[in-house]
Every structure is written in C-alpha cells, then in structure tokens.
C-alpha cells in the first residue's frame, strides 16, 4: 500500500453503537457538538503550548494560538481549526476510532449491566468528538503533529467505519470539516433534558453556518476558553474577516463576583466532562507567602467510575495561566478524589515534573489549605441546605470517610460533616444530633457494624437498648470500622460497640413493663448454660445470659477487644485469612424457649434434642446478623425435623 492510499478501518463496536445513539437520540442538544470540538481544540493548544515552553526546538511559536470557525453556507460546511498539538496517524486511529474516555465506556457498561438504556447516562459524561455526527453526515479531519513530516486525513460518514490516509503538506494542528446534514431534526425523543430546547426552536443542521448562531453558541458554552476563537467570514472579493467571539479571559482569573453560576457550570462541563450541574463551586484567590488561585468543583453526582483505577483524579495545574499538568494528584488527598478543578500559581516553574512535585513544599502547603477549604465548605453546606447535603453524602460520603484513614489528623473536622444511620431514625443524622438525643444516664455512643443496613436495623443486639430508648449508630460501609477507631469521644461519650463484651445497662432508664410479665422473668439457667457450652465448644468461647436481648432467644457477640465480625470480613475481602476468634453466644433468660430447654436439661440432660437445639440456636443467631451458617445443609435438616415434630 502506498502512502497516500486510503486505509479502511471499522469502528470499535462500542463506538458504532454510540454513534448510532448519538444520531438518533440526542438531537435535542445538537449545538453541543461545537462546544466539544472547541474543548478538544483548546486541550490540544494547551498541550502544544506546554511542549513549546518546556522543550527547546519543539517549534516554539509566539502567542498566535487560536481556534478558527469557518462557516460556508453555500457549501453547507463548517470548519473548526486549531493550531494545537495535532495527532499522529496512530493517535488518529485510536482516539477517533474507539471510545477513549473510560467514563463513557464505563457508563455504557454500567447501563448495559443494569439493562437500561444508556442514552441518559451518556448525557452525563459529555459526548466528545462523536457528537459531530449529530449535525454532519460526513466529517473530514486533517491533522499533523509538529514533529511529524507528514499529516493524516481521517474521513467518516459515521456508519460502520472510517478511512485514514497520509497527507503531505499539512500545517500543524487539526482542521475538522463538517458536511452539515440538510435534514430537519426529527421530533424530539423523550429524554429527560428535552425541556432544555423546545422542539420548534432546534436549529436544522444547516443553520450551523449562520454566524449569528455560532456567536451565540460560543458565548453560551465556550466564552471562557483561554485562546481566541475567531469567526471567519468572507469579505470583499477574495478577502476574509476574522472576528474574535469569546473573551479569552480565563474564568478563574475573574473576580468571583463577576462570574455567574451558569459560567461556572459551563466551565465545569468543559473541565470535568460532566454535563450535570456541580454541587458546589469554590473559587479562591490566595495571597501572602504563596500566591495562587483555585477553582474547585464538587460534582452533583457520583461518576460511575469513581472507584475505578482509570478515574481521572487530582486537579489541573497552571502556572501563570499556562496549563502545565492534568490530574495532579498531589493537590487533593485521596479521600477528596471526587473534587475536580484547577490551581494556577505564579510561583510554580513551568518545567515542573511529576517527580519534583511530590517533594514540592509549595504544593503540599496548597494541598493542606485546599483540603481545609473543601471541608469547611461542606460544613457550611450541611448547615445551609440539609437535603442537598444528604444527596451529596449519598454520592460521596463513603469516599469522604476514608479521610479517617488517610488523614487521622482531620478527624475532628470530618466528624462534624459525617452523616450516619441510626436505630431510631429513618433518615441521616450528624453525630451532634445523635448525641443530643442521648437518654438520661447514657455514658457511651453505641454503635453496631455489619454488612447491610436492613439487617442491622433488626439486629437482636439492639433489643434491650431500644426498649430503653437508647439510639444506636448503624454502620454498614466497609470503611466504618476505621471511622470508629479514629472517632474519639463525641461530647464526652466514647464509642461503644453493642456487639462486643458484656453490655452494661447500669444507669440507663428502666424499660417499660411488658405485657406477659411472668414470661419476662429471667430464670436461673444452670445447668443449661454449661451444657450448651460443651455442645458448642468448637464454635463459641462461652455461652452466657444476655443483657441485650428482650425478644430474640439468642445472639452472638464478640469478646471484649476482639476484632469484630465486620472487620474480619474486610480483612478477608483484602485477601488475608485472620484466625477467626471464637465469639460468645448470649441467650435470653426470659425467653420461653430457653426456660423450657432449662427444664429439659434438669430432667434429662442427655436428651439429643438439646444438642440439636444448641446447634440451631447458634445458627439462628448467625442468620439474625445476616451471616450464612457454615453448614447450611445441616441447619436445613435440623429445622425440617423440628418443623415436622411441631406439626405433630
Ligand atoms: P475527550 O476529549 O474526553 O478525551 P473526545 O472524544 O472529545 O474525548 O476526544 C478524543 C480524543 O481525540 C482526545 O482525547 C484527543 O486525544 C483527540 N483529539 C480530539 N480532537 C483533537 C484536536 N483538535 N487536536 C488533537 N487531538 C484531538
Ligand atoms: Mg473532548
């Protein structure tokens, strides 16, 4: 094959289906294709400028970076051209032939797994380059990297594939020509953001050659782009006129009072590739020993790939408005990895490297300040709009709680902004709220950890406390064991597990009397306890009478100071195999079952039914906390035998 013969490529399957969806379902937001192209052009210029500044001989040019929009109504085309970094042949094939962005791919997979239509999900992420096919039925990309001798042409009509061939004599940068569709847009499909543009106002694709419309779209979506966006129109016989249609003042250099919420939101879309509205914006100029500007966003919803390794995290770093690094992780701690944004400082060298950054004292100081700023912003929002904060918490609370692990020194601040579930409330509570509801004589902050909230809500270990009106914090996130370990006292109350050691009810209010008062009288359980202890010797370390039970017959608790069942579960999930410590079986001396077993044990100690019941009691206690007994088949057999006898 010669250099100039076109080479056929097929789109990756994912891409083909995305394209199809783009063309058929996302029509309501057609104009966003322009924002996507301008955003890509701006990124490409950022990278080219950085290259020129840091490596000698990379064709450093003066400040003539720009993005050109060249509409041609007669031909029905629109050209978007930049003098950014361009793409090599290989880059063209991978970047314009596959879904590069992990978030988009992950969103589609997530949607597919849940069996739902991914149209809405895609909308959350921004659609990137492929959005051109909403308005164009044929697209040509001409591009060259400055160091490459020859450039590349990419062509596609958005169907199954695209063609690529080498092209000599291209200027460096990227020129994208859209052959606009001549159709009128089809009726709006029922997608949730359809309201944004009523059907009759949506421009036909051809209208995107109208200079006035282009001006409006740029103003609305791309005004903050740091490079000039030039609208090119014919003038005179052969001349052209170039008019700059954005203001180019980087958004973060403006005074916060001058920036509208819409401007911030547009900038956030560009920066985070997330179309939803940010939950919070922090825009701050800091002067003094170190000078910098920070523009931070807390997203309004959890990205599907938040925990994936490819999740973009960290902030962008600028030095004197020049982009120098993406995903600078040193600027935000791991537990604030959902925060997006940038930092611009005149005190940073342009040639800062990933290695030097780790030691950089200036950066470490910024990170401390920014961390505190984010936490105090959250505290403020918790106070000012509870519902919105709860929504934030449901998206990011589990991540934020990792702060107790990564930065225990922040525990006092984190404590104030954490929300918890508890045994007496339907919704979320702060620690301060829980502590304010403590009962007379309560000397600890009670909690119970487990894997599932619903299992925790009905855990037998809560019974006695619930009867006394004592609220128990229910912890079902993996990280919660660490939170508890770092929590310290809350208003003088130390945290205390209700599933560990003896539960001391001394000093707590007496429970209200129960209906069948005599059945609630505890009886002496010797010799039953000794017998149960023997029969379960290989499963529990002791059997004793419980103070925590009122309704259930039995429950399992940990020995004082032992790792909890939940912690062991986490260790196992991490691939460790800690020796399982024996737990304590606690029985309810007021329960009729135990009272009858006691009678039986006194009369005929060798009755095999007692052994059968011992095993059942233990397994039922496991089930009550949501754990499957090791010998499930044995349990089933024993239970069936008991049921058969009960039927007479
Ligand atoms: P994203 O911008 O989120 O990465 P896009 O679909 O918008 O996704 O673009 C895919 C990739 O194609 C970009 O990451 C970039 O590498 C490349 N690309 C797109 N447009 C340009 C351009 N004008 N100049 C250089 N590279 C580009
Ligand atoms: Mg893009």
């Amino acid at each position: 094959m010669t250099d100039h013969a076109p080479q056929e490529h097929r789109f990756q399957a994912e891409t083909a289906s995305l394209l199809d969806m783009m063309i058929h379902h996302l029509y309501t937001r057609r104009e966003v294709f322009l924002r996507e192209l301008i955003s890509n052009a701006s990124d490409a210029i950022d990278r080219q400028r950085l290259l020129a500044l840091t490596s000698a001989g990379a064709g450093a040019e003066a400040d003539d970076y720009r993005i050109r929009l060249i509409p041609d109504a007669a031909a029905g085309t629109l050209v978007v051209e930049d003098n950014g970094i361009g793409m090599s042949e290989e880059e063209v094939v991978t970047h314009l032939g596959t879904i590069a962005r992990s978030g988009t791919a992950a969103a589609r997979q997530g949607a597919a797994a849940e069996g739902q239509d991914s149209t809405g999900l895609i909308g959350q992420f921004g659609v990137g380059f492929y959005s051109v096919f909403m308005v164009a039925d044929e697209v040509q990309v001409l591009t060259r990297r400055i160091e490459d001798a020859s450039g590349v042409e990419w062509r596609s009509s958005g169907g199954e594939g695209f063609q690529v061939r080498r092209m000599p004599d291209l200027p460096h940068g990227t020129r994208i020509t859209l052959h606009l569709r001549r159709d009128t847009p089809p009726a709006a499909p029922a997608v949730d953001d359809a309201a944004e543009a009523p059907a009759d106002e949506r421009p036909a694709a051809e209208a995107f050659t109208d200079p006035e419309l282009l001006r409006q779209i740029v103003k609305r979506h791309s005004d903050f782009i740091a490079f000039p966006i030039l609208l090119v129109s014919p003038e005179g016989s052969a001349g052209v006129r170039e008019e700059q249609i954005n203001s180019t003042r980087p958004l973060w250099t403006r005074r916060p009072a001058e920036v509208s919420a819409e401007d911030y939101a547009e900038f956030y879309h560009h920066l985070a590739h997330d179309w939803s509205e940010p939950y919070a914006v922090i825009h701050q100029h800091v002067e003094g020993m170190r000078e910098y500007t920070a523009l931070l966003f807390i997203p309004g919803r959890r990205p599907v790939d938040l925990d994936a390794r490819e999740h973009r995290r960290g902030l962008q770093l600028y030095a004197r408005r020049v982009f120098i690094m993406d995903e600078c992780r040193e600027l935000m701690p791991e537990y604030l990895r959902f925060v997006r944004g940038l930092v611009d400082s005149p005190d940073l060298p342009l040639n800062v490297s990933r290695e030097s950054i780790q030691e950089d004292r200036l950066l470490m100081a910024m990170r401390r300040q920014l961390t505190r700023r984010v936490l105090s912003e959250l505290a403020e929002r918790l106070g000012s709009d509870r519902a919105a904060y709860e929504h934030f918490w449901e998206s990011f609370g589990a991540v934020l709680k990792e702060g107790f692990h990564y930065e225990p020194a922040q525990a006092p601040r984190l404590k104030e902004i954490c929300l918890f579930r508890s045994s007496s409330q339907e919704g979320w509570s702060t620690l301060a709220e829980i502590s304010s509801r403590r009962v007379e004589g309560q000397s600890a902050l009670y909690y119970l950890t487990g894997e599932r909230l619903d299992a925790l809500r009905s855990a037998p270990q809560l019974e006695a406390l619930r009867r006394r009106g004592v609220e128990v914090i229910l912890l079902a996130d993996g990280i919660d064991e660490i939170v508890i370990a770092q929590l310290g006292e809350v208003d003088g109350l130390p945290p205390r597990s209700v599933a560990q050691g003896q539960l001391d009810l001394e000093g707590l209010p007496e429970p209200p009397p129960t209906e069948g008062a005599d059945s609630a009288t505890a009886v002496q359980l010797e010799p039953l306890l000794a017998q149960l202890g023997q029969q379960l010797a290989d499963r529990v370390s002791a059997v004793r009478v419980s103070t925590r039970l009122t309704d259930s017959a039995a429950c399992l608790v940990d020995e004082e100071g032992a790792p909890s069942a939940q912690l062991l579960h986490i260790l196992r999930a991490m691939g460790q195999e800690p020796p399982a410590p024996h737990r304590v079986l606690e029985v309810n001396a007021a329960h009729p079952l135990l009272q009858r077993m006691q009678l039986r044990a006194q009369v005929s100690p060798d009755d095999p039914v007692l052994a059968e019941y011992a095993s059942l009691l233990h397994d039922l206690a496991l089930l009550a906390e949501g754990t499957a007994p090791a010998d499930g088949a044995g349990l089933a057999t024993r239970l069936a035998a008991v049921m058969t006898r009960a039927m007479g």
Side-chain angles (χ1 to χ4, degrees):
M1 194 192 78
T2 73
D3 256 10
H4 305 317
Q7 216 186 335
E8 296 289 337
H9 292 263
R10 292 178 69 80
F11 282 119
Q12 174 202 34
E14 279 280 292
T15 311
S17 65
L18 176 61
L19 278 173
D20 183 63
M21 200 169 65
M22 197 81 74
I23 293 161
H24 294 104
H25 298 286
L26 291 172
Y27 277 98
T28 46
R29 315 189 74 171
R30 286 181 155 206
E31 65 177 44
V32 301
F33 83 91
L34 191 58
R35 145 175 104 191
E36 296 290 342
L37 292 184
I38 290 174
S39 169
N40 286 349
S42 163
D43 288 348
I45 296 177
D46 268 337
R47 292 171 61 202
Q48 174 60 32
R49 181 163 68 164
L50 179 61
L51 203 69
L53 284 167
T54 51
S55 56
E61 15 174 332
D63 274 342
D64 64 350
Y65 294 108
R66 80 302 177 267
I67 298 163
R68 283 206 183 100
L69 306 183
I70 313 168
D72 183 338
T77 58
L78 173 65
V79 172
V80 179
E81 183 197 81
D82 67 68
N83 51 357
I85 195 159
M87 283 174 272
S88 67
E89 184 173 348
E90 201 191 322
E91 287 169 333
V92 167
V93 172
T94 52
H95 293 157
L96 305 185
T98 56
I99 298 182
R101 210 166 41 246
S102 59
T104 309
R108 288 182 53 73
Q109 279 155 15
E114 286 167 36
Q116 40 165 293
D117 175 18
S118 49
T119 321
L121 268 176
I122 290 293
Q124 296 177 17
F125 286 89
V127 282
F129 172 78
Y130 301 115
S131 60
V132 291
F133 290 106
M134 292 195 289
V135 295
D137 46 21
E138 186 173 357
V139 177
Q140 179 204 40
V141 178
L142 295 173
T143 185
R144 179 170 75 84
R145 285 187 69 114
I146 204 158
E147 69 273 23
D148 288 354
S150 158
V152 195
E153 178 195 52
W154 179 98
R155 228 173 221 292
S156 173
S157 45
E160 298 285 292
F162 56 92
Q163 293 178 347
V164 171
R165 65 171 157 181
R166 259 192 228 158
M167 285 281 261
D169 305 324
L170 289 181
H172 81 88
T174 302
R175 179 185 171 97
I176 300 175
T177 305
L178 311 182
H179 295 267
L180 298 167
R181 290 173 189 277
R182 290 180 183 267
D183 56 357
T184 41
V191 291
D192 52 354
D193 50 30
E196 192 165 296
D200 40 331
E201 283 175 25
R202 281 174 292 134
E206 280 179 278
F208 293 110
T209 55
D210 173 14
E212 198 39 50
L213 180 62
L214 294 174
R215 219 175 268 129
Q216 278 172 21
I217 298 173
V218 167
K219 249 300 149 284
R220 183 165 339 139
H221 296 299
S222 311
D223 192 53
F224 53 81
I225 292 289
F227 308 102
I229 300 173
L230 306 175
L231 182 60
V232 181
S233 43
E235 200 181 55
S237 51
V240 291
R241 195 166 64 93
E242 292 193 338
E243 176 200 355
Q244 181 173 330
I245 55 174
N246 63 328
S247 63
T248 68
R249 244 181 94 199
L251 188 83
W252 63 92
T253 65
R254 302 183 200 172
R255 286 192 303 119
E258 289 170 14
V259 187
S260 70
E262 290 75 35
D263 291 340
Y264 281 129
E266 279 301 340
F267 187 76
Y268 170 74
H269 300 326
H270 164 70
L271 177 115
H273 298 266
D274 173 7
W275 283 13
S276 62
E277 302 303 297
Y279 166 55
V281 182
I282 297 170
H283 186 185
Q284 201 184 17
H285 297 290
V286 178
E287 280 170 19
M289 294 269 286
R290 36 192 107 75
E291 189 183 333
Y292 65 90
T293 299
L295 178 53
L296 308 182
F297 298 91
I298 300 175
R301 63 180 144 199
R302 185 186 168 94
V304 284
D305 63 341
L306 185 64
D307 289 324
R309 233 177 327 125
E310 326 79 70
H311 173 68
R312 298 187 190 204
R313 49 184 81 166
L315 305 179
Q316 290 185 341
L317 198 55
Y318 286 76
R320 288 175 224 93
R321 302 182 191 190
V322 175
F323 169 81
I324 54 175
M325 192 180 292
D326 211 358
E327 301 189 39
C328 177
R329 295 184 175 205
E330 283 69 20
L331 282 169
M332 266 293 131
E334 183 72 10
Y335 63 96
L336 296 179
R337 60 180 175 272
F338 50 85
V339 175
R340 318 309 315 271
L342 61 88
V343 169
D344 186 356
S345 171
D347 302 338
L348 282 168
L350 285 174
N351 57 358
V352 63
S353 71
R354 295 242 173 228
E355 292 68 45
S356 64
I357 263 183
Q358 284 169 11
E359 322 271 84
D360 195 293
R361 310 245 318 263
L362 169 62
L363 244 66
M364 293 195 317
M366 283 185 198
R367 168 197 167 116
R368 268 196 306 279
Q369 290 181 346
L370 294 174
T371 300
R372 238 176 298 159
R373 185 67 183 77
V374 171
L375 296 182
S376 65
E377 178 73 24
L378 288 173
E380 209 176 295
R381 285 177 176 259
L382 167 61
S384 63
D385 185 345
R386 179 62 172 256
Y389 187 82
E390 290 184 357
H391 185 261
F392 155 80
W393 183 261
E394 283 166 9
S395 303
F396 299 113
V399 178
L400 193 63
K401 282 192 286 188
E402 292 174 18
F404 285 96
H405 169 69
Y406 287 110
E407 264 178 23
Q410 295 288 9
R413 288 166 198 276
L414 289 168
K415 267 161 82 165
E416 315 248 293
I417 57 174
C418 278
L419 297 182
F420 294 94
R421 298 292 192 184
S422 86
S423 58
S424 70
Q425 306 290 314
E426 270 303 310
W428 294 102
S429 304
T430 62
L431 287 174
E433 288 160 358
I434 292 170
S435 130
S436 76
R437 291 191 289 258
R438 65 184 180 210
V439 303
E440 187 74 31
Q442 182 176 339
S443 60
L445 190 67
Y446 293 102
Y447 70 89
L448 180 63
T449 59
E451 273 169 66
R452 293 197 351 253
L453 188 66
D454 51 354
L456 289 175
R457 282 203 184 281
S458 51
Q461 286 90 343
L462 303 178
E463 289 170 358
L465 289 172
R466 181 174 283 142
R467 284 277 295 278
R468 287 165 173 77
V470 179
E471 183 169 355
V472 178
I473 302 177
L474 305 177
L475 303 167
D477 280 331
I479 190 74
D480 285 332
E481 289 287 345
I482 291 164
V483 174
I484 284 296
Q486 301 293 344
L487 197 60
E489 291 189 353
V490 176
D491 297 337
L493 303 182
R496 179 96 176 80
S497 167
V498 300
Q500 202 172 63
Q502 300 268 16
L503 182 64
D504 185 4
L505 299 173
E506 198 72 41
L508 290 174
E510 280 303 310
T514 41
E515 311 255 307
D518 53 337
S519 77
T521 341
V523 292
Q524 257 293 321
L525 286 192
E526 286 305 334
L528 177 66
L529 289 182
Q531 266 197 30
L532 288 176
Q534 263 170 24
Q535 273 146 0
L536 296 172
D538 56 343
R539 298 204 247 171
V540 300
S541 63
V543 179
R544 67 180 177 224
V545 170
S546 184
T547 52
R548 39 200 125 208
L549 297 174
T550 57
D551 304 309
S552 302
C555 69
L556 282 161
V557 300
D558 296 303
E559 284 188 84
E560 194 73 51
S564 72
Q566 174 68 356
L567 183 59
L568 292 171
H569 180 79
I570 296 171
L571 291 174
R572 282 191 205 104
M574 287 170 18
Q576 300 183 28
E577 203 37 70
H582 277 168
R583 303 177 70 197
V584 176
L585 183 72
E586 288 197 351
V587 297
N588 181 355
H591 197 285
L593 173 63
L594 273 300
Q595 298 184 351
R596 284 178 209 172
M597 285 173 74
Q598 160 73 356
L599 278 179
R600 185 73 66 106
Q602 283 167 338
V603 180
S604 50
D606 299 327
D607 191 334
V609 166
L610 282 175
E612 182 187 37
Y613 275 33
S615 185
L616 276 170
L617 267 183
H618 176 262
D619 286 352
L620 295 179
L622 274 179
L623 283 175
E625 58 188 40
T627 314
D631 178 19
L635 168 63
T637 311
R638 280 187 288 274
L639 206 52
V642 171
M643 288 164 79
T644 309
R645 290 203 300 272
M647 291 294 275

